[in-house]
């Protein structure tokens, strides 16, 4: 028996932020990063809350790749303020912080579980609809994807106007995160008709709109479609989970402080080649699924493997057009330093929960080999 659960009420489209005025909120704890405070976006929410007579407090100490330390501080602030609602404003880092903070706060007293409203300002992680929260331990140089159905936000407000200020390189990185989520959900061992529908739609939308969102950030149609694609990919992987591109990106990003979407983008072509068995005879776990994606995007060549080679070429072309390099060394990571970290990263990737649903299970040595490529 299978099941598909979607617990988040989603409001989408320009102006959907205003919906905050209609929610039953008396005390709101707004969790965001310093940029959201300085840019006035947190104050925009505060004004909407004040207009409905609600109290609010802003916790603006979120850092990219949120740490255990930030989560602890957030819980302390929340214990003092005792909100009925937490509003997560920002990219995946703010939303994941809010999820972890709310979850741990509620664990101390189940009666006071606050409602969680997620307001994404990047089009990337889909965290506004998922049960994942990725928290980093800087000392261990590790990122841990925590998963609990109770962390799924109650409400998501997808207002594309909030994404208009995202600079091109972050639009590119986060957009490739969307593509990776949709690809990994589609080839996952837990994929089904419902998750496929969301993954397929997200792939088509990224293919059509990502380049435009990067090169013409003021194009609100591209921004809106990328915002919706990000959420759809989140729905897909919340049901189907992910794969080794994410496991490897978690270890890579934690080690070298690379943006999550960029780590995924650089690894994606290599992971597709490995999953589809392009270099190894008889190991073609996901070949047919990648061929389906290629056909969906109008890519076809003589044989299934040639078709997947074509798909990888097109992904690399897209990355080039939106300014994402192909090699880790182009991101300022020293070759020798990278190679000396491969064994440790491979160990962490093998233990990552995302590895469980990858269509092919790599040995530790195979993870190392993919990293070296
Ligand atoms: P982010 O939240 O770290 O933000 C990246 C940068 O973009 C920050 O400097 C931020 O201030 C800036 N920014 C955000 N919105 C902006 C806007 N509207 N205008 C201008 N600048 C803006 O990046 P992200 O890629 O959204 O999130 C990455 C984090 O999410 C990682 O920790 C990753 O592991 C995690 N993640 C979580 C899930 C999940 O399901 N929970 C899925 C994928 C990734």
């Amino acid at each position: 028996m299978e099941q598909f659960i979607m617990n988040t009420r989603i409001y989408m489209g320009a102006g959907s932020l205003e919906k905050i005025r209609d929610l039953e909120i008396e005390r709101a704890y707004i969790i965001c990063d310093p940029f959201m405070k300085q840019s006035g976006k947190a104050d925009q929410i505060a004004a909407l809350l004040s207009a409905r007579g609600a109290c609010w407090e802003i916790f603006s100490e979120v850092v990219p790749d949120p740490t255990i330390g930030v989560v602890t501080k957030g819980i302390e602030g929340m214990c003092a303020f005792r909100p009925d609602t937490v509003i997560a404003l920002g990219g995946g880092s703010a939303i994941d912080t809010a999820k972890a903070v709310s979850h741990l706060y509620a664990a101390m007293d189940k009666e006071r579980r606050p409602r969680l409203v997620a307001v994404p300002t990047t089009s990337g992680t889909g965290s506004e609809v998922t049960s994942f929260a990725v928290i980093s331990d800087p000392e261990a140089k590790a990122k841990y994807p925590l998963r609990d159905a109770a962390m799924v936000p109650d409400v998501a407000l997808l207002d594309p106007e909030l994404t208009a200020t995202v600079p091109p390189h972050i639009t590119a990185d986060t957009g490739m995160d969307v593509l990776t989520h949709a690809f990994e959900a589609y080839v996952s061992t837990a994929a089904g008709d419902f998750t496929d529908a969301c993954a397929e739609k997200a792939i088509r939308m990224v293919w059509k709109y990502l380049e435009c969102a990067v090169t013409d950030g003021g194009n609100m149609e591209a921004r809106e479609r990328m915002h919706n694609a990000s959420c759809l990919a989140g729905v897909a992987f919340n049901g189907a989970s992910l794969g080794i591109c994410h496991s490897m990106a978690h270890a890579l990003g934690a080690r070298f402080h690379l943006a999550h979407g960029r780590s995924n983008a650089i690894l994606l072509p290599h992971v597709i080649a490995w999953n589809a068995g392009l270099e190894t005879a008889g190991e073609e776990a996901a070949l047919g699924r990648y061929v389906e994606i290629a056909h969906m995007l109008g890519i076809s060549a003589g044989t299934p493997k040639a078709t997947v080679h074509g798909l990888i070429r097109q992904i690399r072309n897209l990355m080039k057009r939106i300014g994402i390099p192909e090699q880790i060394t182009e991101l300022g990571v020293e070759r020798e330093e990278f190679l000396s970290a491969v064994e440790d990263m491979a160990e962490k990737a093998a233990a990552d929960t995302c590895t469980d649903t990858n269509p092919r299970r790599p040995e530790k040595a195979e993870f190392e080999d993919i990293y070296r490529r």
Side-chain angles (χ1 to χ4, degrees):
M1 192 182 85
E2 293 180 53
Q3 62 173 347
F4 181 79
I5 304 173
M6 243 309 296
N7 278 336
T8 312
R9 182 180 291 266
I10 304 168
Y11 296 93
M12 71 285 282
S16 49
L17 185 66
E18 308 262 324
K19 194 71 201 165
I20 283 184
R21 266 203 300 246
D22 304 336
L23 302 175
E24 298 279 308
I25 302 175
E26 284 180 17
R27 297 178 70 78
Y29 191 60
I30 303 170
I31 296 185
C32 62
D33 69 15
F35 171 78
M36 290 297 140
K37 180 86 185 71
Q38 286 148 20
S39 63
K41 287 184 167 68
D43 291 339
Q44 216 177 319
I45 291 186
L48 290 168
L49 290 165
S50 296
R52 73 175 316 280
C55 309
W56 46 266
E57 186 165 294
I58 299 176
F59 173 80
S60 60
E61 295 181 41
V62 170
V63 292
D65 297 332
T67 59
I68 298 168
V70 168
V71 171
T72 308
K73 265 188 152 176
I75 296 170
E76 284 165 8
M78 213 156 133
C79 287
F81 184 69
R82 300 182 72 83
D84 57 46
T85 304
V86 170
I87 300 180
L89 170 70
S93 296
I95 300 176
D96 284 5
T97 303
K99 282 170 155 175
V101 166
S102 308
H103 191 57
L104 294 170
Y105 175 82
M108 292 187 270
D109 179 355
K110 294 229 175 327
E111 294 300 304
R112 58 179 190 182
R113 180 188 178 272
R115 176 205 286 116
L116 180 56
V117 178
V119 186
T121 63
T122 59
S123 305
T125 68
S127 181
E128 66 275 12
V129 287
T130 74
S131 54
F132 289 89
V134 187
I135 303 300
S136 295
D137 178 350
E139 273 176 36
K141 292 192 186 328
K143 264 178 133 176
Y144 301 107
L146 314 174
R147 189 165 198 195
D148 194 312
M151 286 199 291
V152 177
D154 302 286
V155 178
L157 304 179
L158 308 184
D159 193 330
E161 287 176 352
L162 292 168
T163 68
T165 49
V166 181
H169 70 284
I170 297 179
T171 305
D173 293 347
T174 48
M176 286 304 295
D177 196 18
V178 179
L179 193 69
T180 309
H181 291 152
F183 266 63
E184 294 219 282
Y186 196 79
V187 302
S188 159
T189 54
D193 289 343
F194 291 79
T195 57
D196 279 1
C198 297
E200 278 183 38
K201 182 71 180 170
I203 291 169
R204 288 182 200 277
M205 288 162 85
V206 173
W207 216 247
K208 186 162 177 193
Y209 292 103
L210 175 57
E211 187 177 355
C212 177
V214 173
T215 57
D216 178 12
N219 183 321
M220 290 316 292
E221 189 196 353
R223 289 290 196 187
E224 179 166 1
R225 302 311 292 278
M226 280 305 302
H227 218 35
N228 291 347
S230 170
C231 188
L232 281 166
V235 174
F237 84 80
N238 192 49
S241 196
L242 293 162
I244 60 167
C245 193
H246 268 77
S247 311
M248 296 180 72
H250 289 148
L252 176 67
R255 181 79 183 210
F256 295 106
H257 279 293
L258 302 175
H260 174 71
R262 188 158 285 218
S263 304
N264 270 332
I266 288 180
L267 288 160
L268 185 63
H270 301 283
V271 168
I272 294 174
W274 193 80
N275 280 344
L278 296 192
E279 282 102 18
T280 39
E283 290 283 3
E284 302 166 357
L287 181 63
R289 294 293 272 168
Y290 289 120
V291 169
E292 285 171 22
I293 296 176
H295 288 168
M296 193 194 306
L297 299 173
I299 302 162
S300 185
T303 64
K305 285 196 176 181
T307 298
V308 177
H309 273 297
L311 174 66
I312 291 174
R313 250 193 321 276
Q314 297 273 354
I315 292 171
R316 287 193 194 284
N317 286 343
L318 173 65
M319 285 167 59
K320 200 175 203 164
R321 295 198 302 274
I322 61 174
I324 296 186
E326 283 188 18
Q327 295 289 324
I328 308 271
T329 44
E330 291 173 73
L331 300 180
V333 176
E334 293 292 332
R335 189 183 160 79
E336 289 314 313
E337 200 190 347
F338 176 76
L339 290 175
S340 69
V342 161
E343 213 182 319
D344 178 58
M345 291 191 297
E347 214 161 274
K348 289 191 167 104
D352 192 293
T353 173
C354 296
T355 296
D356 298 342
T357 40
N358 196 65
R360 243 182 110 185
R361 182 134 200 146
E363 299 293 333
K364 187 174 153 257
E366 290 169 306
F367 274 116
E368 291 177 18
D369 188 46
I370 302 170
Y371 274 127
R372 290 197 186 95
R373 279 162 196 261

